[in-house]
Structure formats: C-alpha cells, structure tokens
Amino acid sequence: MCVQVTIIDTGVRGTIAVGLVPQLYKLDHQPGWLPHSVAFHADDGKLFNGNTVGQQFGSKCCRGDRIGCGISLESDDGQLSVFFTKNGKEVGSVEIPGSPEALYPAVGMHSLGEEVLLDLNAEWGMEEDDGQMIVDSHEEDWSRLHDVKVTGMLLEYVGKGKSIVDVGLAQARRPLNTRFHYYELEITDAGEKCYIALGLARRDYPKNRHPGWSRGSIAYHADDGKLFQGSGVGDAFGPRCFEGDIMGCGIMFPRDFNPDTGDDVDDWDLDVLPKPCEVQNALYANNEDEDEDEGEDLEGRKVTVFFTRNGKVVGRREVPLPVGGFYPTIGMMSAGEKVKVDLHPLSG
C-alpha cells in the first residue's frame, strides 16, 4: 500500500513533503526532519531522513505532479525499504530501521496557499520492466453503481443519455456522519449537457432518478445551479458549474446529535421545508409524480445540509434526516460526463 498526493497548488514556496513518521510525531515539524521519519520534499527534490539537512534525491515537483511513498513488501526484518514515486515512476528508495506498524503516512505543508489531493489507498505495482502507480479502484466505497464506471476516484457516466430515465447513479456505501460530514466532486468532463447532480439521498433511493427528484433526497444541479428537494421543480439556488469546478455537499449536525437515539425517519415531510420558488426546468417537467412507492412521510431529526462551489458556501437548507442517514449520491445523465470524487476531503 502507498500514500499519494496530487499537488493542486504549490502556494508561495511549494514546501510540500510526503513521507512516513512515527505515531507521536510533532505536528509543527515537516516529515523527515525528526528522527525515525523519512520524506521526499517537493520544493527541492531532496530526501530528508531524520535530519533537517536533506540529500539530493529527485527532481523538484510542481502543480499537477503526483508524489507517492510506500514500503516495499520485500523489506527484511528490522530494516524497511521505503520508496518514493513521482507521476507513477519510482524516484528511488532508502533503507531505514523499524517495522511497518510503527510508521504512518504523513503530508507536510509549510507556505501559504499550498493545497494537495490525498489518496491513502494508492497501490504500487510492477508491469513488465516499467513501474507505475496503480490507483485502487475505490469501488468498495460505493454501495450502488448504476450506469457509472469507477476508475480510482473517477466516476464516468456510461448510460444512454437519451431521456430523463437514463440516469447514472452512484451512492456511497456509508452515510455522512459527525466525523465524515462533507464530500466533494470535481467536474473533469462536463460531457454534452453537464447534467451532473451532487447531493444526499436515503439508502433505497431509486436508481433511475436524479438526486433531488424523489423524496428523501436533496441535490445541487450543475447544469442550471438549482436546488432540487424531492421534486422535479427546482429552486434557484446558486451559480451553474462547469468543467474544472469543485462542488461540495455536507451536513451540519446539531451539537446534541446522537445517531443512536432513533430520531431518524424513513422519509421527508416536504411540508415542513421552505417552499421553493416555482422555477420549472423543461428537462424535469412532468417528473414530480413518478416516484416509486416511498411509504408514509414522517418527519425526523433536522439537520442543516449545505453546498459549496470552489470552496465557498453556496447555501444551506434545514431538512429532516431519513432513517439510516443521508448517503452521498451523485447523478449524471449526458454522454461523456466524468467527475473525480473525494468522499473524505477533510480527513487528510
């Protein structure tokens, strides 16, 4: 297994470090500076092995570069072979004393504006004579995939894209909770129409319904910037989103929230929600009354759902929480659409 970061922004100096550290490592020191730690530093391409003086190791890294670090499976007892990669190619390795259980992946940043995308599930594999970083499929992160192909963190729409029932749906395996309360997607390809929706839905949400169309769901739609709450009638909400934009969705739980109290319910009572202004989308017209059997509407514990665009909050809504919680749910509906999803962007 391997940790890998993609440099989104080098900030002022690009002082980004990727490596391994012991459990109680001081958080105000870059990885590699203190004993029993090792790290590759992006700003100068040097390897720091338990010392503030680095050794020239590889080339400098810039925006868009991917830096990886892992432990070789062939490490001898008492000695570990730690390797580093850049853009899927091995930069080099170093032998250090210790055991794999005593070291933890670490990323350090040291100047204003630095930003990275973290992948803790990257894998290193050798194919013929060429080494390359193989990104874990992440398919286990999703409980339901309908007309959506998963490649690493990338979701690709593979449906027909001809009508409103040709929805590609991806629903995460676990609901948002007080620890992991937010997720994001980046639109890597807007496809023909950018019919991309990001939101939250109940566990048994219909697979052929865009998030936000059916009860027990709420979603921000990229193509028109509208918010959909259990209906095909959208509420003017925020700006449209395009290729390269990052959309986010999260929950602000009450301070006294306890997921085990049984306050949750199976469905929404839309009468308790603010009435949206009647903004009709022609694509979704005549779509409100086509829900599958969804049972009785019951009001549950209320939470605040919020949405972001490129790191800024677009808006929020207070809604009842369905039984079992709200699951990250993404919909796509036109040919060529692709999004990169990070289910835990705040955990790194």
Side-chain angles (χ1 to χ4, degrees), residues 192-208:
E192 292 184 357
K193 302 290 185 179
C194 198
Y195 289 151
I196 296 169
L198 164 132
L200 301 169
R202 66 177 194 268
R203 182 168 44 199
D204 58 346
Y205 192 78
K207 66 181 181 181
N208 63 341

Side-chain angles (χ1 to χ4, degrees), residues 1 15 22 66 68 119 122 146 153 180 200 205 222 233 285 313 332:
M1 294 297 290
T15 47
R66 305 187 315 277
D119 184 1
H146 175 68
M153 300 173 72
F180 299 115
L200 301 169
Y205 192 78
V233 178
V313 175
M332 294 180 280

Side-chain angles (χ1 to χ4, degrees), residues 266-292:
D266 185 39
D267 229 326
W268 291 26
D269 181 355
L270 294 179
D271 291 336
V272 306
L273 298 177
K275 292 294 183 182
C277 55
E278 297 293 314
V279 180
Q280 187 77 28
N281 187 319
L283 175 68
Y284 312 134
N286 303 317
N287 196 35
E288 305 95 50
D289 300 324
E290 299 175 4
D291 291 352
E292 298 177 6

Side-chain angles (χ1 to χ4, degrees), residues 202 215-216 262-273 294-302 319-323 326:
R202 66 177 194 268
R215 294 175 181 177
D263 289 339
D264 302 342
V265 295
D266 185 39
D267 229 326
W268 291 26
D269 181 355
L270 294 179
D271 291 336
V272 306
L273 298 177
E294 302 183 33
E296 183 181 1
D297 290 345
L298 297 172
E299 181 180 349
R301 183 69 184 272
K302 290 183 179 180
V319 297
L321 192 68
V323 162
F326 264 138

Side-chain angles (χ1 to χ4, degrees), residues 137-157:
S137 71
H138 289 257
E139 198 161 330
E140 69 277 4
D141 291 338
W142 305 94
S143 64
R144 302 172 64 204
L145 293 167
H146 175 68
D147 283 344
V148 172
K149 176 184 175 182
V150 179
T151 306
M153 300 173 72
L154 190 72
L155 301 186
E156 178 181 359
Y157 176 65

Side-chain angles (χ1 to χ4, degrees), residues 150-169:
V150 179
T151 306
M153 300 173 72
L154 190 72
L155 301 186
E156 178 181 359
Y157 176 65
V158 293
K160 296 178 181 178
K162 300 297 183 182
S163 71
I164 61 172
V165 298
D166 294 330
V167 175
L169 192 81

Side-chain angles (χ1 to χ4, degrees), residues 217-240:
S217 71
I218 182 171
Y220 178 29
H221 286 217
D223 62 308
D224 53 16
K226 294 172 186 172
L227 186 74
F228 288 77
Q229 302 178 71
S231 168
V233 178
D235 181 4
F237 186 66
R240 297 171 61 191

